[in-house]
């Protein structure tokens, strides 16, 4: 018995050495077992190529016993083996076991023959025919003839010739099964003569096609010459493609360096076949060069009062950014082209108007506006462009936007700059360093255009939700302007003055069709939304407009006519459903084991409810609520302070080793991190251990140290606005943040009482009931 290797679309001959790729599990198993034993394997050809797992009846019984010279694993999962044919074998039966296919094989002896004149004549005819075959075949090297002529044994010579023939598998199998030498040589000679005739016919067809192509190219060349001659004689008024490009280059008045490059590419185009792929790439490049606004720019509106009125009409609030833009206009008016405008980065929570503010800036200055989103961009070529080495190359998105807007001084808004990524294709944030640097972006070179373009007159405005994810080198090139969330009064003004007119227009309504009372706005803001911006407010108002439009359309198709749709605080539930009541989580009365903290997130300020309980245990502290590593360390610091100063805080009777403390921050699906909840955690733990109840109208923020110091934190404005949105009146703030609070606008602080503290004892005194 011998292991069987079924093969498709090939026949292995004795004496031949051939590589073979093996991928089927049963075949791989047969090769591995053969190597472990005697490296001999029986190679048989499949009758039907489509059979995936051949067995008895699917293979030719006549095959070749081969020696496995080499086996190599290929990275794609397959295996490459090098086989050497040893001799003809016939399988009396095939046995398909669970893992491998075996066969009972017996050797096949070549029929007796005598080297006579007939055999010698057949041998010479076969060799002559094979020499012609190698000469005509495009893929067979002439060295094959040397190796075949060196074989003296006629049996081996015939098998070697047969193995090099590119013929059907059936014919090769018939050659393998020919035992009589004269019969095999006759069949081999017949096959060679047939193949030679086919190869000669293929050569004739190829020569005729080549001749026709050369004739066509000759005719094209002559036609182009004739066109030029006619043009010189004034008989042809139409301009050639090259003449058209030449005229466009002259009319475009390109910069000297750019014009020289365009003419160089035009000369290359003139030497190329018009229909070649390279010519297409060059045409696309010249079109891009001619389409860029090298000199076109709009005139700035430098009237401060006009700019101020446009900004005021488009946006409510945002006084700092409006003031900064007016400063830019004033400097531009005095310094002219010498003014190097800084790169503005608007940072704030979603929905406060960062993106729309960029369009308003363009409207106010009389510039064109274009925007591009950087969120999720990971390819450096998105910024710098692709090298023009293949069909489909194009400039980066910055050059695309400049060409799209048609001027060299637009307002270019780069949205979500804090969400740039990087991978093996490069770092887009590093590519932006040159773009956003006023000292070097006057000669920005895109990889596709390969000529400098002046970006210094572009007013770049970037937007972000946070700054800590922006690379420091990139952040250093930008002037950060923080946009805070809106309070109730601002949202009411925005809803009435900006959102309602826009939504009425988008839904085909007029002010007569829908009336909304002031109480509706307050109720939507207070009970249906919880956000720093106004996006959810706009969605709820859009829902009111749609329902009003549906009522009006339904009334037109019925006999009953309805007047204007009136939405009041009483019937608002019929339009928007039940309110969400976000404030249910906040304590309404003094309670043990709870404290309110203030947090700063990408979505603006938030009020955190921190809960604590104590049970009998072994002195362990459990923290839950999807807390980050910094927030967990703050909890450990708060616990360490309470243990170290328990005697001063009324905790001298607490057995720290006999109880466990569990600290939880609700809304566990939302990740939370940062040090500013340190004092809040200390208050919650002290409340549950000392039995002192937490006062409900107090919220706090601050980092705690092991010595009980209250350290300053960031995001104070957003945290204060979050407290106002949730109806909290008293705020405990670190003494180190007093200057930040004093700089805030009066309307932000209106209605709030601030308690500035420097130690944890002061926090406990103002946040918990007295003993």
């Amino acid at each position: 018995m011998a292991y069987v290797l079924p093969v498709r679309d090939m026949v292995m001959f004795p004496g031949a050495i051939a590589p073979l790729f093996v991928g089927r599990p049963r075949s791989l198993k047969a090769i591995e077992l053969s190597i472990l034993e005697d490296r001999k394997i029986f190679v048989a050809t499949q009758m039907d190529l489509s059979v995936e797992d051949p067995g008895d009846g699917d293979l030719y019984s006549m095959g070749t016993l081969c020696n496995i010279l080499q086996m190599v694993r290929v990275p794609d999962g397959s295996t490459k083996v090098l086989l050497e044919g040893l001799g003809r074998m016939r399988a009396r039966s095939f046995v398909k076991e669970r893992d491998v296919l075996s066969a009972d094989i017996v050797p096949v002896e070549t029929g007796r023959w005598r080297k006579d004149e007939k055999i010698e004549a057949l041998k010479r005819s076969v060799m002559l025919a094979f020499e012609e075959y190698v000469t005509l075949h495009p893929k067979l090297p002439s060295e094959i003839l040397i190796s075949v002529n060196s074989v003296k044994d006629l049996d081996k010579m015939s098998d070697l010739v047969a193995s090099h023939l590119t013929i059907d598998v059936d014919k090769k199998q018939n050659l393998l099964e020919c035992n009589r030498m004269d019969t095999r040589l006759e069949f081999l000679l017949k096959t060679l003569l047939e193949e030679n005739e086919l190869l000669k016919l293929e050569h004739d067809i190829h020569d005729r096609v080549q001749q026709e192509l050369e004739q066509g190219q000759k005719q094209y060349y002559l036609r182009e010459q004739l066109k030029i001659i006619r043009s010189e004689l004034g008989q042809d008024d139409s301009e050639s493609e090259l003449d058209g490009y030449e005229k466009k280059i002259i009319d475009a008045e390109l910069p000297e360096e750019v014009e020289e490059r365009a003419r160089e590419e035009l000369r290359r185009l003139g030497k190329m076949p018009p229909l070649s792929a390279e010519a297409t790439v060059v045409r696309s490049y010249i079109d891009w060069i001619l389409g860029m606004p090298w000199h076109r720019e709009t005139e700035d509106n430098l009237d401060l009062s006009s700019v101020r009125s446009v900004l005021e009409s488009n946006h409510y609030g945002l006084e700092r950014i409006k003031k900064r833009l007016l400063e830019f206009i004033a400097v531009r008016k005095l310094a002219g082209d010498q003014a190097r405008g800084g790169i503005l980065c608007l940072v704030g929570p979603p929905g406060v108007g960062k993106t729309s503010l960029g369009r308003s800036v363009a409207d106010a200055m009389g510039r064109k506006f274009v925007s591009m989103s950087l969120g999720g961009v990971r390819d450096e070529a998105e910024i710098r462009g692709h090298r023009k080495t293949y069909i489909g190359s194009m400039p980066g998105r910055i050059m695309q936007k400049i060409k799209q807007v048609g001027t060299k001084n637009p307002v270019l808004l780069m949205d979500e700059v804090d969400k740039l990524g990087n991978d093996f294709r490069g770092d887009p944030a590093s590519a932006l360093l040159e773009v956003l640097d006023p000292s070097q972006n006057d000669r920005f070179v895109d990889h596709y255009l390969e000529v400098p373009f002046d970006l210094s007159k572009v007013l770049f405005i970037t937007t972000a939700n946070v700054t800590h994810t922006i690379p420091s080198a990139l952040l250093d090139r930008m002037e950060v302007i923080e946009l805070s969330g809106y309070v109730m009064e601002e949202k009411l003004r925005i809803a009435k003055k900006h959102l309602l007119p826009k939504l009425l227009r988008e839904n085909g309504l007029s002010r007569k069709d829908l009336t909304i009372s002031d109480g509706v706005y307050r109720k939507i803001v207070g009970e249906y939304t919880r956000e720093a911006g106004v996006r959810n407010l706009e969605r709820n108002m859009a829902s009111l407009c749609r329902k009003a439009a549906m009522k009006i359309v339904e009334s037109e198709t019925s006999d009953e006519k309805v007047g204007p749709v009136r939405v009041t605080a009483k019937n608002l539930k019929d339009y928007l459903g039940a309110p969400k009541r976000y404030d249910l989580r906040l304590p309404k009365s003094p309670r043990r084991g709870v404290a309110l903290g203030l947090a700063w997130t990408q979505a603006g300020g938030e009020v955190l409810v921190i809960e604590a309980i104590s049970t009998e245990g072994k002195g362990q502290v459990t923290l839950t609520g999807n807390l980050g590593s910094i927030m967990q360390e703050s909890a450990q610091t708060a616990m360490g302070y309470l243990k170290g100063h328990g005697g001063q805080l009324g905790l001298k009777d607490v057995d720290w080793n006999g109880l466990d403390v569990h600290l939880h921050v609700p809304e566990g699906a939302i990740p939370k991190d940062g040090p500013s909840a340190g004092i809040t955690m200390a208050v919650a733990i002290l409340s549950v251990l000392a039995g002192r109840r937490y006062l409900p109208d107090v919220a706090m923020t601050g980092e705690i140290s092991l010595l009980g110091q209250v350290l300053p934190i960031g995001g104070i404005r957003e945290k204060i606005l979050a407290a106002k949105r949730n109806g909290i009146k008293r705020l405990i703030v670190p003494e180190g943040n007093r200057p930040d609070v004093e700089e805030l606008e009066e309307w932000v602080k209106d209605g709030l009482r601030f308690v500035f503290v420097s130690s944890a004892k002061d926090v406990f005194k103002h946040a918990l009931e007295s003993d």
Side-chain angles (χ1 to χ4, degrees), residues 166-313:
T166 308
I167 57 177
D168 295 337
V169 174
D170 294 338
K171 289 185 179 181
K172 281 196 172 184
Q173 184 67 29
N174 289 336
L175 285 170
L176 184 68
E177 293 180 358
C178 285
N179 293 335
R180 289 175 54 87
M181 181 55 65
D182 55 346
T183 305
R184 189 191 307 171
L185 290 175
E186 288 176 358
F187 189 83
L188 193 57
L189 178 60
K190 178 184 176 183
T191 303
L192 281 168
L193 293 175
E194 290 175 354
E195 289 297 311
N196 287 343
E197 289 299 321
L198 289 175
L199 288 172
K200 289 178 182 177
L201 183 58
E202 288 178 5
H203 277 279
D204 291 339
I205 294 173
H206 178 269
D207 290 340
R208 287 200 302 270
V209 172
Q210 184 70 25
Q211 186 177 0
E212 291 176 2
L213 287 174
E214 291 175 355
Q215 183 66 24
Q217 290 178 348
K218 180 180 178 181
Q219 291 177 358
Y220 172 79
Y221 179 75
L222 292 174
R223 280 196 299 267
E224 290 297 312
Q225 281 189 324
L226 184 59
K227 185 187 298 184
I228 294 173
I229 293 171
R230 287 179 176 176
S231 176
E232 292 292 329
L233 294 174
Q235 297 177 356
D236 187 4
D237 296 332
S238 62
E239 294 180 342
S240 66
E241 180 185 35
L242 298 181
D243 292 338
Y245 275 128
E246 180 70 29
K247 187 176 184 303
K248 289 179 181 178
I249 291 174
I250 295 173
D251 295 341
E253 297 181 355
L254 304 174
E256 182 179 352
E257 185 177 352
V258 180
E259 182 176 350
E260 182 180 347
R261 185 57 187 271
R263 292 188 183 278
E264 179 185 341
E265 294 296 321
L266 189 60
R267 286 192 291 271
R268 289 184 58 220
L269 179 63
K271 299 176 183 178
M272 297 177 184
L275 300 180
S276 66
E278 182 68 18
T280 302
V281 173
V282 174
R283 285 192 197 94
S284 178
Y285 176 79
I286 296 176
D287 289 337
W288 268 102
I289 288 287
L290 295 173
M292 294 300 297
W294 301 98
H295 300 292
R296 295 190 299 272
E297 57 182 278
T298 56
E299 184 178 352
D300 287 343
N301 175 20
L302 302 180
D303 184 357
L304 288 183
S305 59
S306 174
V307 173
R308 183 183 287 111
S309 63
V310 172
L311 293 176
E312 291 293 342
S313 62

Side-chain angles (χ1 to χ4, degrees), residues 601-652:
T601 68
Q602 292 188 16
E606 290 287 347
V607 175
L608 291 181
V609 180
I610 297 181
E611 303 170 345
I613 61 170
S614 62
T615 58
E616 293 184 2
K618 300 179 181 180
Q620 296 179 347
V621 178
T622 304
L623 306 173
T624 57
N626 203 351
L627 308 184
S629 59
I630 299 176
M631 202 165 181
Q632 294 181 28
E633 291 176 359
S634 296
Q636 298 290 346
T637 305
M639 197 69 186
Y641 166 73
L642 293 176
K643 287 181 179 180
H645 300 77
Q648 305 170 21
L649 302 172
L651 303 177
K652 59 183 178 180

Side-chain angles (χ1 to χ4, degrees), residues 88 119 137 192 336 366 559 723 726:
R88 286 174 171 78
I119 293 294
H137 201 286
L192 281 168
D559 296 335
N726 287 271

Side-chain angles (χ1 to χ4, degrees), residues 288 292 370 372 374 381-385 395-405 410 412 414 431-432 434-436 444 446 453 455 458 460:
W288 268 102
M292 294 300 297
V370 66
M372 56 183 287
L374 298 178
E382 292 281 335
I383 307 299
R384 291 189 177 275
R397 291 170 62 181
I398 293 177
M399 290 294 99
Q400 292 181 37
K401 295 297 183 182
I402 295 293
K403 181 184 177 184
Q404 172 189 333
V405 79
L412 177 53
M414 294 184 174
L432 280 176
E434 179 185 0
V435 177
L436 300 182
F444 173 73
D446 185 274
F453 188 89
L455 294 178
V458 178
F460 290 101

Side-chain angles (χ1 to χ4, degrees), residues 407-634:
T407 63
K408 63 182 297 185
N409 66 335
V411 174
L412 177 53
L413 180 76
M414 294 184 174
D415 216 359
E416 311 291 356
V417 71
D418 58 327
K419 297 175 179 61
L420 278 171
N422 62 78
D423 58 15
F424 64 93
R425 292 168 293 184
D427 184 2
S430 298
L432 280 176
L433 295 178
E434 179 185 0
V435 177
L436 300 182
D437 189 346
S439 64
Q440 58 179 320
N441 64 5
D442 58 334
R443 290 186 61 82
F444 173 73
V445 178
D446 185 274
H447 285 168
Y448 179 84
L449 298 178
E450 296 180 339
V451 288
F453 188 89
D454 184 7
L455 294 178
S456 63
K457 295 187 178 181
V458 178
L459 176 56
F460 290 101
I461 299 178
T462 63
T463 71
N465 294 128
V466 293
T467 57
H468 65 267
T469 58
I470 304 175
S472 57
L474 182 59
L475 186 63
D476 184 60
R477 283 164 166 77
M478 300 185 292
E479 178 182 348
V480 177
I481 300 178
E482 294 185 357
L483 279 70
S484 301
Y486 300 113
V487 294
M488 174 71 76
E489 290 73 16
E490 289 181 307
K491 290 184 178 182
L492 295 181
R493 287 177 176 268
I494 292 172
K496 292 180 182 179
K497 186 177 180 181
H498 299 279
L499 298 183
L500 184 60
K502 183 183 75 168
L503 293 173
L504 290 175
R505 184 171 59 255
E506 291 177 353
N507 290 276
L509 302 173
S510 66
R511 290 190 177 272
K512 296 180 180 179
D513 298 324
L514 175 65
T515 60
I516 301 177
S517 65
D518 291 347
V520 171
Y521 297 116
R522 291 186 175 274
K523 199 162 187 177
I524 292 176
V525 173
E527 300 182 11
Y528 287 85
T529 65
R530 186 180 64 172
E531 58 177 346
V534 292
R535 282 183 181 161
N536 284 327
L537 172 60
E538 184 177 1
R539 292 189 185 102
N540 282 280
M541 292 179 62
S543 178
L544 294 179
C545 292
R546 290 194 301 270
K547 289 178 171 58
M550 188 175 67
K551 277 192 172 185
I552 293 172
V553 172
E554 287 177 346
S555 68
E556 291 176 351
T557 58
S558 63
D559 296 335
E560 182 181 356
K561 300 294 182 179
V562 299
V565 178
R566 291 183 173 85
V567 182
T568 64
K570 292 183 179 180
N571 65 4
L572 180 61
K573 183 178 179 181
D574 300 333
Y575 292 91
L576 299 182
K580 305 298 187 297
R581 296 308 298 261
Y582 293 114
D583 60 340
L584 290 178
R585 60 197 180 99
L586 304 182
K588 303 299 182 183
S589 59
R591 292 175 56 184
R592 277 185 60 187
V594 68
L596 296 184
L598 299 173
W600 182 38
T601 68
Q602 292 188 16
E606 290 287 347
V607 175
L608 291 181
V609 180
I610 297 181
E611 303 170 345
I613 61 170
S614 62
T615 58
E616 293 184 2
K618 300 179 181 180
Q620 296 179 347
V621 178
T622 304
L623 306 173
T624 57
N626 203 351
L627 308 184
S629 59
I630 299 176
M631 202 165 181
Q632 294 181 28
E633 291 176 359
S634 296

